[in-house]
Amino acid sequence: MLALAKLTSTEIEEIKAFLENFISVPVDDRLAETAAAYRRNYKFGLADAIIIATATDKQLPLASRDKQFQKIKEITVIEI
């Protein structure tokens, strides 16, 4: 979200405040292998595959506006 070109400084600060409510998980070898499988099987980009792998690994729902995530049976998507 922070990479969107047209964000104002106020919007950037609002996004940062919102993201503070979430956990950050480092990518280790096991998570990278899982992400690679999601990338192969579902044709997601690397970043999205890592996000999906993290949600499945931690058994957590994924909060997103991206409707593409809904096709992944292994995760629960919470639309925001």
Side-chain angles (χ1 to χ4, degrees):
M1 293 188 318
L2 289 171
L4 297 173
K6 296 182 180 183
L7 290 176
T8 66
S9 58
T10 301
E11 290 170 326
I12 291 170
E13 292 308 313
E14 289 172 352
I15 292 169
K16 286 181 179 181
F18 174 73
L19 293 174
E20 287 178 6
N21 295 301
F22 297 89
I23 60 171
S24 178
V25 178
V27 177
D28 59 16
D29 290 344
R30 186 173 49 83
L31 197 62
E33 288 178 23
T34 303
Y38 280 113
R39 188 167 184 193
R40 281 192 310 274
N41 295 332
Y42 291 98
K43 309 299 185 234
F44 276 99
L46 180 59
D48 285 344
I50 291 171
I51 291 167
I52 297 164
T54 303
T56 57
D57 182 67
K58 301 301 180 187
Q59 299 179 355
L60 294 169
L62 174 58
S64 178
R65 290 183 183 177
D66 191 338
K67 299 211 183 288
Q68 293 282 7
F69 288 128
Q70 293 177 356
K71 67 183 177 181
I72 308 299
K73 295 171 268 184
E74 298 87 350
I75 61 173
T76 299
V77 177
I78 299 171
E79 289 189 47
I80 55 171

